[in-house]
Amino acid sequence: MSTPSGPGTTGPIEPPPDAHASRPEPAPGGGEGPVPGPGSVGYGAVFGVREFRAVFAAHLVSMLGEMIGQIALSVLVYRITGSPLLSALTFATSMVPYAIGGALLSSVADRFPARRVLVVCDLVHAGCVAAMVVPGMPVAVLLALRCVPAAISPVFSGTRSATLGDILGEGDAFVLGRSVIRITAQTAQLAGFGAGGLLLAAVSPRAALALTAAALVGSALVLRFGTRRRPARQPAGDGAALLGDSLGGVRRLFADRRIRALMLLSWVPPMFVVMPEALLTPYSDGLGLGSAGLGLLMCGMPVGAIAAEALVGSLLGPRARARLTLPVGVAAMLPALGYACRPSFGWALALQLLTGCGIAYSLGLDQWFLAAVPDGLRGRAMTVLTAGLMTFQGLGMAVSGAVAEFAPVHVVAAAAGGCGALCSLLVALEVRRTVARPVGAEV
């Protein structure tokens, strides 16, 4: 399907012939994309691509709906049962199935047309949320319905990431497109949780869930009519079973030393970064902070991540970002060492902000990963990457919480920073030992 008529580009952005031009170069199709530096296209040129604007709009709408839905389901379960444990499980069930879905369903991203996969995933998610609205639904069924979208979420995210390479090309535009998706997710997390709290003061949890379902349907419609239909990456005549093909793809990815090292670099730093964040509730309680203080601490990391990613993506070109990838990836955990001094509220907030800035290492890592993965495995690779990221973060939260049962919270947070820096350094050294395919920047 062709993209709708109107201003904007319809294909991948290519760097202009004169990378040192001082004025914006026209992008294909009539849009303009500023050129901040050699080889860089800038965020403006990325938004000049009509299909990307559709992907962005769908992502923003669905993320806001998802954040509101998470709060609404948690409140609904708590009102039904009065159990803090079951209420907390509504969040846990949104992460646990990631690993299962990523491993067993990853080939879906390559075996079927991307637009169809994205639309079907959104509609399945919307159907599960709509079922939660039915009065008298047992809590066990509500939790089971929450598991289904979590299982297909890595397929959706992996397919969308792989499609960005088709929409934006495989150069700097892809990196900045992925950056916009991350920034949007962090911003929606801040706005969605806040809006969800205000919304639930005015409407019932089931009404909020109905709005979430409507947002997901809206996302599906935007993707269906705002993006092109592209053929599946895997040949249609390949009759391999879905499960076997998915597991085989995972084995092929892990068999490649370069890809394996890059996936670990994508997973290990975030796993340790979230450990102190998972302990902010007991830490703030120890400082005597109220809910407002805890809320501000929880906002620290997303705000730091949004600011750092936007600045690095706007001001630095691909080579500069590549040079920062490994140092920043290792240093992201170092601010957590400050918890050893039991910082006050202000210093703890500063530590969270600095930790969030470490997300900027993902900009260089995205380009390395795209270059290392064969096109036929791209959808599976992005799906596994997403599933592993969520699984490792969930593992990090669980470990930090378990250790904090036996050790002071500030000691656990500081230890997570030290261990994380060491583990990330070992992974970074492995990345340096692998042979990088030429992508315009050296590792």
Side-chain angles (χ1 to χ4, degrees):
M1 175 182 174
S2 60
T3 52
S5 59
T9 64
T10 59
I13 299 173
E14 298 293 341
D18 181 8
H20 299 280
S22 59
R23 61 182 179 83
E25 294 287 342
E32 279 199 350
V35 185
S40 180
V41 298
Y43 285 115
V46 171
F47 277 102
V49 179
R50 188 186 305 114
E51 279 193 272
F52 179 77
R53 293 199 299 270
V55 172
F56 166 76
H59 180 56
L60 179 61
V61 170
S62 63
M63 278 297 302
L64 286 172
E66 172 68 6
M67 294 301 105
I68 292 172
Q70 279 196 2
I71 294 180
L73 181 59
S74 176
V75 172
L76 176 62
V77 170
Y78 185 74
R79 288 183 180 178
I80 293 172
T81 65
S83 169
L85 173 60
L86 290 175
S87 179
L89 281 178
T90 62
F91 290 93
T93 52
S94 69
M95 299 182 68
V96 173
Y98 258 80
I100 300 173
L104 303 184
L105 302 176
S106 61
S107 66
V108 170
D110 292 317
R111 289 167 67 104
F112 301 97
R115 188 179 68 182
R116 185 190 307 169
V117 173
L118 296 175
V119 171
V120 169
C121 284
D122 260 346
L123 292 178
V124 170
H125 192 169
C128 290
V129 175
M132 297 175 188
V133 179
V134 177
M137 189 70 69
V139 171
V141 177
L142 290 174
L143 296 177
L145 288 170
R146 188 67 190 91
C147 287
V148 175
I152 63 174
S153 185
V155 176
F156 179 90
S157 298
T159 303
R160 181 182 58 203
S161 295
T163 302
L164 288 181
D166 300 325
I167 294 174
L168 299 173
E170 300 183 358
D172 193 53
F174 170 82
V175 174
L176 294 182
R178 287 263 292 169
S179 173
V180 169
I181 295 297
R182 283 192 296 268
I183 291 173
T184 304
Q186 295 283 357
T187 305
Q189 180 179 346
L190 292 172
F193 283 149
L198 293 175
L199 184 64
L200 287 172
V203 302
S204 69
R206 286 193 172 87
L209 287 170
L211 291 175
T212 296
L216 292 165
V217 171
S219 172
L221 291 173
V222 171
L223 291 170
R224 171 61 180 82
F225 296 105
T227 61
R228 294 181 184 177
R229 184 191 185 280
R230 293 179 171 85
R233 287 186 171 80
Q234 188 167 314
D238 190 335
L242 177 64
L243 178 58
D245 194 23
S246 297
L247 294 176
V250 173
R251 285 193 295 268
R252 288 175 61 189
L253 291 172
F254 278 95
D256 186 298
R257 184 181 180 186
R258 173 74 175 171
I259 296 175
R260 185 172 65 245
L262 292 175
M263 286 195 294
L264 287 174
L265 187 60
S266 298
W267 298 339
V268 171
M271 179 179 73
F272 286 98
V273 159
V274 299
M275 287 185 175
E277 185 181 34
L279 300 175
L280 286 179
T281 297
Y283 187 79
S284 65
D285 184 62
L287 293 179
L289 302 177
S291 58
L294 173 60
L296 287 174
L297 284 180
M298 295 294 290
C299 289
M301 191 180 296
V303 169
I306 293 168
E309 183 138 12
L311 288 174
V312 171
S314 300
L315 302 179
L316 300 182
R319 291 183 181 275
R321 293 187 220 125
R323 286 194 293 269
L324 288 176
T325 298
L326 297 182
V328 173
V330 174
M333 275 65 62
L334 296 180
L337 294 174
Y339 280 102
C341 302
R342 300 193 70 175
S344 62
F345 166 74
W347 285 109
L349 180 59
L351 294 179
Q352 291 301 113
L353 287 166
L354 287 174
T355 300
C357 291
I359 192 64
Y361 91 104
S362 299
L363 286 158
L365 181 59
D366 282 341
Q367 186 60 63
W368 295 345
F369 192 73
L370 183 69
V373 175
D375 184 68
L377 283 175
R378 185 179 295 170
R380 273 167 283 193
M382 293 298 183
T383 299
V384 172
L385 192 71
T386 302
L389 177 62
M390 295 299 292
T391 302
F392 270 64
Q393 288 186 97
L395 179 62
M397 292 178 182
V399 169
S400 63
V403 176
E405 290 288 328
F406 306 98
V409 169
H410 70 283
V411 173
V412 177
C419 292
L422 177 59
C423 292
S424 298
L425 176 61
L426 295 175
V427 173
L429 292 174
E430 174 63 10
V431 170
R432 289 190 65 88
R433 284 192 288 265
T434 59
V435 178
R437 301 175 187 179
V439 295
E442 296 179 358
V443 180

